[in-house]
């Protein structure tokens, strides 16, 4: 028999003959999936498996429906000379799917038992249950009366309950349903498979490969992603070969040697680099998609690596050669260096380090953005909504990649200054960083272009769409300010890296460099409730968000961070600038050699309250009474702050006024004097204060409070005021009046 390479179908492989090296003729009588093989995986429910299954079935369907031949690459195996058993080493997934497709066609086309005898010679040895399942579905009939054949199978008397614990059987049932959905309208399916030979593959016996069982060990040591990755690699290299023979040879060598060696320290738990390679491949490919292919939201970003390869690197793309060269360079630039040390020289995550840039990462994050990309790009959370490698990370990493690609012409100092700018922009462009703009245009292209300009040229397009305009203008001012104020460079960078600011320093401003270091001292060492009160002694530093007003709180840093990040809404009526002015006034008042800032602030607050004798504005009450400073989101509702400053509602939530809310003065009185008051319910503007053991309620208004009782006219008691300002402490006035009752 000749050992010449030839094609087989699923049916023709069983019963085929070939010659061994010693000229002995061996016939394949059985196809066995050995115990050491993994379970059948193409029917799993994971997102990746579903994509692979859909793609594979679509390829088979297209070939059958168009009566065209499709070749499924190589199948390798070891044949027992005595028993004629073919033990599959590679091809398990494909042949199992072909077995199920042939079985389905035999039942659908009602083929006689003799003609389907070859199916009985395919078996699983991984588990007894898998073996028995294959046997029973062949021997028993299917009615096709239900939409899901799997349900009919599970209802059969021969189907055993504990088979639900066999992952191979579960995968087979899912595949059977998908086959039915895809092929149920195909006529003469059995003929197309068995007689017309539409689906074929190459088979090579292990011995004919000139190798021993070491091949099996080598192949299976790579773990379960081998088949998908090797299949992709073969198709991808074929695409390159059609383009350029030299690039084909270069990519072949680099994928197998250079890039594998580079990625090996970052291999996954399966001890292979296939997944890591594919994620980085997709990252670079997606960058190219954003830059050259995608125009608007109608152009979906492709996640299937096979389609992505054809889309970007095949002859159909006029930029395919330049795309391939960029891809090659993007891999090459990480070869020959200690990648961990490289990122460690640029970024940090905890205490400030001179000449490094802070990254604000999740608890399980890493400053090695290359590794983060290889682990997470194109992966999503379980709900499918959030990227594990965010758009922010994609853009920041792109800045690093641009440097690596241009390291011969860019100095390290220039790069560090410029990647700091990119960090500042990515942290402060919450609403700008997205794939598509509101008009549907490609926003990522603009953002990537911004990153390139910053890293390569050190310039910012401050009026163009892209990153946040306010932050870009701030970064431009810093670029102009730093050369003239180089003595403050380290203090500026340390201020930028503060967790409350994350790159934006507008709340301090470049005109107040003496306050750079004081900000850190104030917000890292001081009780924030003291800061809140101290700021109020200077003025109303609050900011308006539509109908809501926000102040700082004791425990939530996010509230202070919101107050310190400028937006057009927050700066309406110059409120953000007002906050900045008051904060700088407080910082300036702190002595340079202050050893105890809490003590300094406490004295300032005490002096303020002591000197407030006959004019009590709303800020006085917020400073004096802790209960007014509700410690959630710092949100309050004033319907008319200018004319009715004492009518203020404490908001229990951040954005809703129809939930738990209290009149601020009623809430304060209730908490201070619970022996006297109840505050029973919550309402839009805060419920009235109930006087215990009576039917009387207190309604606190701007210039008076009313004591009402059912069936009687309310008693109105005016506060002493002058020009709309209290001349007496209304909290004390109300409790004194109640105590007299």
């Amino acid at each position: 028999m000749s050992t010449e390479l030839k094609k087989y179908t699923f049916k023709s492989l069983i019963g085929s003959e070939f010659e061994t090296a010693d000229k002995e003729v061996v016939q394949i009588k059985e196809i066995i999936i050995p115990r050491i093989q993994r379970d059948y995986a193409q029917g799993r429910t994971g997102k990746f498996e579903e994509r692979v299954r859909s793609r594979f079935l679509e390829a088979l369907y297209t070939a059958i429906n168009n009566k065209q031949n499709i070749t499924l690459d190589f199948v390798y195996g070891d044949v027992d000379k005595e028993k004629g058993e073919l033990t599959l080493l590679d091809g398990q997934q494909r042949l199992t799917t072909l077995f199920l497709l042939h079985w389905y066609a035999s039942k659908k086309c009602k083929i006689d038992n003799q003609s389907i005898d070859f199916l009985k010679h395919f078996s699983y040895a991984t588990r007894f249950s898998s073996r028995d399942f294959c046997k029973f579905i062949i021997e028993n009939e299917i009615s096709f009366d239900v939409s899901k054949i799997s349900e009919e199978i599970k209802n059969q008397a021969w189907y055993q309950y504990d088979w639900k614990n066999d992952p191979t059987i579960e995968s087979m049932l899912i595949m059977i349903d998908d086959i039915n959905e895809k092929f149920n309208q195909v006529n003469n399916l059995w003929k197309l498979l068995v007689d017309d030979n539409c689906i074929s593959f190459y088979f090579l016996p292990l011995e004919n490969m000139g190798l021993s069982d070491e091949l099996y060990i080598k192949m299976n040591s790579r773990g379960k992603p081998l088949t998908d990755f090797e299949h992709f690699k073969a198709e991808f290299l074929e695409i390159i070969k059609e383009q350029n023979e030299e690039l084909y040879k270069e990519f072949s060598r680099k994928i197998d040697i250079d890039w594998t060696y580079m990625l090996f320290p970052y291999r996954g738990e399966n001890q292979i680099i296939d997944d890591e390679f594919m994620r980085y491949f997709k990252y670079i490919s997606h960058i190219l998609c954003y830059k050259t292919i995608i125009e608007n939201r109608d152009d979906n970003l492709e996640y299937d690596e096979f389609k992505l390869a054809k889309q970007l690197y095949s002859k159909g793309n006029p930029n395919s050669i330049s795309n391939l060269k960029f891809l090659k360079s993007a891999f090459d630039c990480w070869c020959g260096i200690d990648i961990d040390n490289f990122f460690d020289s640029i970024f940090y995550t905890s205490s400030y380090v001179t000449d490094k840039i802070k990254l604000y990462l999740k608890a399980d994050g890493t400053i090695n953005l290359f590794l983060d990309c290889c682990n997470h790009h194109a992966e999503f959370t379980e709900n499918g909504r959030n990227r594990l490698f965010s758009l922010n990370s994609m853009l920041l990493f792109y800045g690093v990649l641009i440097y690596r690609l241009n390291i011969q012409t860019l100095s390290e100092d220039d790069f560090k200054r410029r990647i700091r700018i990119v960090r500042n922009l990515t942290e402060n462009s919450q609403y700008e960083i997205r794939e598509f703009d509101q008009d549907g245009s490609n926003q990522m292209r603009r953002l990537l272009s911004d990153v390139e300009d910053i890293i390569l040229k050190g310039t910012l397009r401050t009026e163009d769409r892209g990153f946040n305009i306010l932050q870009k203008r701030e970064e431009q001012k810093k670029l102009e300010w730093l050369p003239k104020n180089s003595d403050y460079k380290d203090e500026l960078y340390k201020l930028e890296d503060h967790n409350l600011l994350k790159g934006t320093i507008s709340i301090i401003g470049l005109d107040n460099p003496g306050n750079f270091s004081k900000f850190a001292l104030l917000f890292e060492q001081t009780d924030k409730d003291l800061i809140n009160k101290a700021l109020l002694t200077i003025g109303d530093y609050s900011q308006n968000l539509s109908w809501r007003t926000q102040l700082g709180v004791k425990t939530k840093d996010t509230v202070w961070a919101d107050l310190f990040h400028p937006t057009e809404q927050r700066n309406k009526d110059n409120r953000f600038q007002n906050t900045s002015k008051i904060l700088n006034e407080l910082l300036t008042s702190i002595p340079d050699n202050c050893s105890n800032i809490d003590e300094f602030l406490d004295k300032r607050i005490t002096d303020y309250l002591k000197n407030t004798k006959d004019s009590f504005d709303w800020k006085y009450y917020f400073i004096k009474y802790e209960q007014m400073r509700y410690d959630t989101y710092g949100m309050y509702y004033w319907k008319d702050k200018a004319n009715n400053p004492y009518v203020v509602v404490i908001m229990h939530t951040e954005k809703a006024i129809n939930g738990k809310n209290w009149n601020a003065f009623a809430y304060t009185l209730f908490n201070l004097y619970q022996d006297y008051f109840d505050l029973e319910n919550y309402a839009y503007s805060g419920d009235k204060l109930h006087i215990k053991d009576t039917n009387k309620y207190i309604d606190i208004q701007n210039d008076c409070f009313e004591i009402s009782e059912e069936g009687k006219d309310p008693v109105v008691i005016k506060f002493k005021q002058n020009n709309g300002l209290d001349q007496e402490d209304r909290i004390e006035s109300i409790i004194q009046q109640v105590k007299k009752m």
Side-chain angles (χ1 to χ4, degrees):
M1 299 288 295
S2 171
T3 58
E4 180 182 354
L5 192 64
K6 59 178 293 188
K7 292 182 181 180
Y8 294 86
T9 66
F10 184 80
K11 182 178 186 299
S12 68
L13 181 60
I14 298 171
S16 62
E17 297 179 339
F18 64 92
E19 285 184 352
T20 65
D22 57 5
K23 303 299 182 181
E24 185 177 351
V25 177
V26 176
Q27 183 183 52
I28 297 176
K29 300 176 181 178
E30 304 283 341
I31 299 176
I32 305 294
I33 308 299
R35 291 174 183 265
I36 198 169
Q37 282 281 23
R38 62 190 174 115
D39 293 305
Y40 177 52
Q42 280 192 351
R44 290 178 180 170
T45 56
K47 183 177 179 181
F48 175 75
E49 287 82 2
E50 289 173 2
R51 185 156 50 88
V52 170
R53 180 166 68 253
S54 175
R55 183 180 177 278
F56 187 43
L57 290 179
E58 180 63 32
L60 299 181
Y61 174 80
T62 300
I64 290 172
N65 201 46
N66 297 328
K67 297 184 180 180
Q68 297 172 345
N69 185 268
I70 183 174
T71 304
L72 304 180
D73 211 344
F74 286 91
V75 170
Y76 305 116
D78 183 23
V79 182
D80 185 298
K81 297 178 183 179
E82 301 298 327
K83 298 180 180 179
E85 291 180 349
L86 165 61
T87 300
L88 281 182
L89 305 181
D90 186 39
Q92 168 202 0
Q93 302 298 319
R94 283 166 287 159
L95 289 196
T96 302
T97 300
L98 289 183
F99 163 75
L100 294 173
L101 180 58
H102 281 75
W103 168 83
Y104 172 82
S106 73
K107 298 301 179 183
K108 185 173 186 295
C109 299
K110 301 186 183 304
I111 306 302
D112 62 88
N113 290 334
Q114 185 176 353
S115 298
I116 67 170
D117 185 69
F118 69 94
L119 293 177
K120 300 176 183 178
H121 298 277
F122 177 87
S123 181
Y124 261 75
T126 53
R127 290 184 177 88
F128 291 122
S129 52
S130 300
R131 181 198 63 193
D132 292 343
F133 178 79
C134 293
K135 176 175 177 288
F136 277 113
I137 61 171
I138 294 171
E139 293 176 350
N140 291 277
E141 297 304 316
I142 298 296
S143 68
F144 293 90
D145 289 339
V146 295
S147 59
K148 285 198 171 186
I149 298 177
S150 61
E151 296 301 320
E152 182 177 354
I153 291 174
K154 290 178 182 179
N155 287 330
Q156 300 300 310
W158 49 264
Y159 184 85
Q160 299 181 32
Y161 178 77
D162 61 357
W163 284 359
K164 67 182 178 63
N165 298 318
D166 186 328
T168 288
I169 295 176
E170 288 297 299
S171 289
M172 285 183 173
L173 289 170
I174 290 171
M175 178 59 83
I176 287 169
D177 285 336
D178 281 9
I179 287 173
N180 181 47
E181 183 176 343
K182 193 73 178 176
F183 292 91
N184 70 86
Q185 298 300 319
V186 177
N187 295 320
N188 300 317
L189 180 57
W190 178 261
K191 179 179 182 298
L192 292 166
L193 284 172
V194 175
D195 297 334
D196 296 350
N197 301 329
C198 287
I199 302 171
S200 60
F201 50 84
Y202 294 105
F203 169 69
L204 200 57
L206 183 62
E207 187 179 69
N208 284 359
M209 297 167 65
L211 298 170
S212 66
D213 289 344
E214 291 177 1
L215 174 69
Y216 182 82
I217 297 170
K218 177 182 177 182
M219 291 171 63
N220 283 279
S221 67
R222 293 174 59 87
K224 68 180 184 180
L226 169 67
T227 302
D228 299 323
F229 177 71
E230 288 295 332
H231 184 33
F232 166 78
K233 185 174 75 170
E235 285 199 21
F236 181 50
L237 290 175
E238 190 63 32
I239 288 171
I240 301 174
K241 190 174 184 179
E242 292 177 0
Q243 296 273 58
N244 184 288
E245 185 71 26
E246 289 303 313
L247 278 176
Y248 164 74
K249 293 177 181 178
E250 198 170 3
F251 268 84
S252 296
R253 186 189 74 253
K254 287 179 178 294
I255 291 175
D256 284 338
I257 301 173
D258 299 358
W259 299 341
T260 295
Y261 183 80
M262 179 265 291
L263 286 165
F264 193 71
Y266 305 119
R267 62 195 182 278
E269 293 181 358
N270 53 13
Q271 300 303 308
I272 60 174
I273 55 87
D274 297 358
D275 290 341
E276 289 70 27
F277 177 94
M278 287 311 312
R279 293 188 190 107
Y280 188 58
F281 168 84
K282 286 183 180 179
Y283 171 76
I284 300 302
S285 299
H286 287 161
I287 293 295
L288 288 170
C289 285
Y290 287 127
K291 290 177 65 176
T292 63
I293 292 180
I294 293 177
E295 295 297 334
N296 53 59
R297 62 168 53 98
D298 292 330
D299 303 324
N300 293 325
L301 189 66
E302 184 58 66
Y303 283 87
D304 184 291
E305 57 269 24
F306 295 89
K307 294 178 181 177
L308 197 57
K310 291 179 181 178
Q311 189 179 46
L312 287 167
Y313 307 111
S314 70
K315 283 185 176 180
N317 188 314
N319 301 314
S320 57
I321 297 297
S322 61
N323 288 345
L324 283 168
K325 290 180 178 179
F326 180 78
L327 177 68
K328 180 170 70 71
S329 298
F331 272 92
D332 282 346
C333 71
W334 300 108
C335 295
I337 69 167
D338 187 322
I339 300 175
D340 287 330
N341 284 345
F342 170 76
F343 281 98
D344 189 57
S345 70
I346 302 169
F347 300 115
Y348 75 96
T349 58
S350 53
S351 300
Y352 178 74
V353 181
T354 300
D355 291 330
K356 291 188 181 183
I357 301 98
K358 186 165 188 173
L359 291 188
Y360 306 95
L361 302 171
K362 294 173 287 189
D364 60 346
T366 172
I367 61 173
N368 186 336
L369 296 175
F370 174 76
L371 174 59
D372 198 14
C373 176
C374 291
N375 284 340
H376 298 122
H377 180 70
E379 302 288 335
F380 291 80
T381 53
E382 288 185 6
N383 60 19
R385 295 177 182 174
N386 300 316
R387 293 176 174 85
L388 295 181
F389 192 62
S390 66
L391 293 179
N392 289 44
S393 296
M394 286 181 67
L395 292 163
L396 186 61
F397 180 43
Y398 184 62
V400 179
L401 177 62
I402 292 296
Y403 169 60
R404 290 299 312 169
L405 294 173
N406 296 274
I407 199 167
Q408 301 302 321
T409 57
L410 279 175
S411 72
E412 184 179 347
D413 287 343
D414 281 344
F415 165 65
K416 285 187 175 181
R417 175 70 194 106
R418 294 169 184 179
I419 197 65
R420 173 176 283 276
I421 294 173
V422 176
R423 189 283 311 266
N424 294 348
L425 290 168
T426 55
E427 288 293 337
N428 293 284
S429 300
Q430 176 185 357
Y431 301 107
E432 289 78 13
I433 295 180
R434 53 181 177 261
E435 288 186 288
F436 305 106
D437 211 342
Q438 293 177 350
D439 62 2
S441 59
N442 184 343
Q443 173 69 348
M444 276 296 284
R445 182 178 297 171
R446 300 187 190 101
L447 296 168
L448 290 166
S449 180
D450 271 355
V451 172
E452 287 182 19
D453 282 350
I454 293 165
I455 299 298
L456 294 176
K457 305 173 187 176
T459 58
L460 293 123
R461 298 193 298 267
T462 55
E463 298 304 323
D464 291 349
R465 290 154 69 184
F467 288 109
N468 180 271
I469 293 293
L470 293 177
Q471 190 62 35
K472 286 204 280 190
R473 290 173 185 169
E474 179 183 301
E475 296 305 321
Q476 184 61 45
K477 290 178 182 177
K478 292 173 188 172
L479 286 173
E480 297 166 0
W481 183 86
L482 264 173
K484 304 171 187 176
N485 298 272
S486 57
D487 290 347
Y488 284 105
K489 183 182 81 168
D490 205 50
E491 289 186 32
L492 172 64
Y493 290 170
K494 188 173 183 179
L495 180 67
E496 284 185 335
D497 287 359
H498 196 283
N499 285 337
L500 294 180
L501 302 182
K502 296 184 178 180
T504 183
I505 56 95
S506 296
I507 196 66
I508 304 300
L510 294 170
D511 295 333
N512 301 287
N515 288 338
F516 289 177
S517 59
K518 287 183 179 180
F519 180 88
L521 290 174
L522 182 65
F523 281 93
E524 288 176 8
Q525 300 180 10
T526 308
D527 181 341
K528 291 186 178 62
D529 194 42
L530 280 178
I531 298 174
N532 189 5
K533 292 189 287 184
L535 289 169
L536 287 170
T537 65
I538 298 172
D540 177 9
Y541 75 92
S542 67
Q543 293 173 19
N544 298 327
L545 294 166
S546 183
W547 51 270
R548 298 166 292 153
T549 300
Q550 188 171 39
L551 290 164
V553 295
K554 183 180 179 67
T555 61
K556 271 193 174 65
D557 282 354
T558 53
V559 172
W560 291 100
D562 287 342
L563 289 167
F564 295 159
H565 282 71
T567 65
E568 291 184 6
Q569 187 182 36
R570 287 184 176 276
N571 202 31
K572 190 176 182 181
D573 301 326
N574 291 319
R575 293 306 303 167
F576 180 85
Q577 292 301 324
N578 184 63
T579 305
S580 174
K581 178 183 176 182
I582 292 172
L583 175 60
N584 273 298
E585 186 174 334
L586 178 62
L587 292 171
T588 302
S589 72
I590 299 173
D592 292 337
N593 59 350
C594 184
S595 59
N596 191 322
I597 296 181
D598 278 23
E599 189 176 280
F600 171 81
L601 296 181
D602 194 55
K603 184 177 185 306
R604 182 187 186 99
I605 295 161
T606 301
D607 289 346
Y608 171 87
L609 293 173
K610 187 184 298 183
N611 294 327
T612 304
K613 296 179 180 179
D614 55 7
S615 184
F616 305 92
D617 65 8
W618 68 265
K619 298 189 298 297
Y620 160 84
Y621 295 104
F622 273 72
I623 294 168
K624 180 177 180 180
Y625 296 105
E626 177 185 2
Q627 294 76 16
M628 303 283 283
R629 304 184 303 277
Y630 193 65
D631 191 29
T632 53
Y633 301 96
M635 289 294 183
Y636 300 86
Y637 171 59
W638 270 276
K639 187 175 182 179
D640 185 0
K641 194 175 188 180
N643 298 308
N644 296 287
Y646 301 104
V647 181
V648 53
V649 174
I650 295 172
M651 292 176 58
H652 179 72
T653 59
E654 183 179 11
K655 298 178 180 179
I657 196 66
N658 57 351
K660 295 181 179 181
N661 306 287
W662 301 274
N663 176 289
F665 291 96
Y667 182 79
T668 299
L669 280 161
F670 163 68
N671 280 280
L672 285 173
Y673 304 105
Q674 292 192 19
D675 289 343
Y676 290 88
F677 300 115
D678 286 322
L679 195 58
E680 296 175 343
N681 298 307
Y682 312 107
Y684 169 75
S685 59
D687 275 352
K688 296 178 181 179
L689 189 64
H690 174 234
I691 302 175
K692 280 187 175 181
D693 302 323
T694 73
N695 293 322
K696 297 178 180 179
Y697 290 84
I698 296 177
D699 182 16
I700 305 170
Q701 300 175 14
N702 191 65
D703 60 351
C704 66
F705 66 99
E706 294 181 355
I707 302 176
S708 60
E709 186 174 2
E710 188 174 350
K712 297 182 180 180
D713 292 334
V715 177
V716 179
I717 302 174
K718 288 279 189 177
F719 295 118
K720 294 178 183 178
Q721 289 189 335
N722 184 18
N723 292 324
L725 288 177
D726 285 358
Q727 303 299 295
E728 60 181 346
D729 185 322
R730 62 175 55 206
I731 297 290
E732 294 178 2
S733 296
I734 293 173
I735 189 61
Q736 288 173 9
Q737 184 67 35
V738 171
K739 286 181 178 180
K740 291 177 184 177
M741 294 171 59

